[in-house]
Each structure stands twice: as C-alpha cells, then as structure tokens.
Amino acid sequence: MSVSFNEKVLNIVRDIPKGKLMTYGEVAVLAGRPKAYRAVGNILNKNYDKAIPCHRVIRKDGSAGGYNCGRERKLEILKKEGVYPDF
DNA sequence: CGTATGACGTGCA
DNA sequence: GTGCACGCCATAC
C-alpha cells in the first residue's frame, strides 16, 4: 500500500468540486473501504486541513454532522455554496 | 494487545 | 418519527 487510507480520504475530499456534496460512505468507497465511513470521519476530525473542504462531506441523512471549525460554520458555507442539504 | 471513543449507517421496537 | 443497539474502521490511551 503506497498510500494510507488516511491520505486517500484526504485526497478525495480535497478533490471535491465547489457546489458538490459527498457523504462519508461515498468517500469511504472511493478510498477503497466502503465500510470505513467511521474512520473517514475520524481522519477528517483529526487531520482537518485548510485545503480540504471537509464541509462538503455530510451524512447520508443530509445532516451536516460536525465540523472542527463549528457545525454552524459548515452549514453557513454549504448555504453559501448553494448546496444546502435541504433534504 | 485490549479497551474506549468518534464528524457514521442500518435495523428494530 | 424517535430512540437504542450493533457493526465497522482508524486512532488514542
């Protein structure tokens, strides 16, 4: 394994285009571990990077979940992006 | 190494 | 629709 699951997740999340929403499950699948959605959240939580739009990663329910910078901030950004999860 | 925790997901009452 | 329990993976202690 040249790359760790952690790097893959961060890479995928970082590659999320503006106005696009992704769920932890989707990211986990693209990372190669469809059942590691738990780990995906943990990785983002501990490895939150400024270049990574983790605010574009939400739950399957459409809920924002959480955000290191503040859950409200996440919703604010999503709303600004025009991708507000109004499910 | 084993237990506990966490930005989750699904199932059942 | 809401709440609780179980399962899954990675990290921390």
Side-chain angles (χ1 to χ4, degrees):
Chain A
M1 294 69 96
S2 312
V3 282
S4 300
F5 179 69
N6 160 299
E7 284 191 45
K8 283 201 177 176
V9 173
L10 296 174
N11 181 35
I12 293 164
V13 176
R14 188 195 306 165
D15 192 56
I16 297 178
K18 179 184 171 216
K20 170 73 175 180
L21 283 179
M22 241 176 180
T23 61
Y24 296 95
E26 287 292 299
V27 176
V29 172
L30 297 175
R33 293 288 190 275
K35 288 181 220 159
Y37 37 73
R38 281 298 292 243
V40 174
N42 268 1
I43 292 164
L44 295 175
N45 184 1
K46 293 171 193 287
N47 278 283
Y48 155 70
D49 267 312
K50 187 177 161 188
I52 297 176
C54 32
H55 55 261
R56 290 185 190 143
V57 185
I58 59 173
R59 290 183 57 154
K60 241 186 186 179
D61 306 90
S63 304
Y67 194 49
N68 276 346
C69 295
R71 184 163 89 308
E72 294 181 10
R73 183 72 175 186
K74 187 171 185 175
L75 295 171
E76 189 85 357
I77 297 169
L78 294 176
K79 189 176 180 181
K80 204 171 236 195
E81 299 278 313
V83 293
Y84 188 78
D86 185 55
F87 287 92

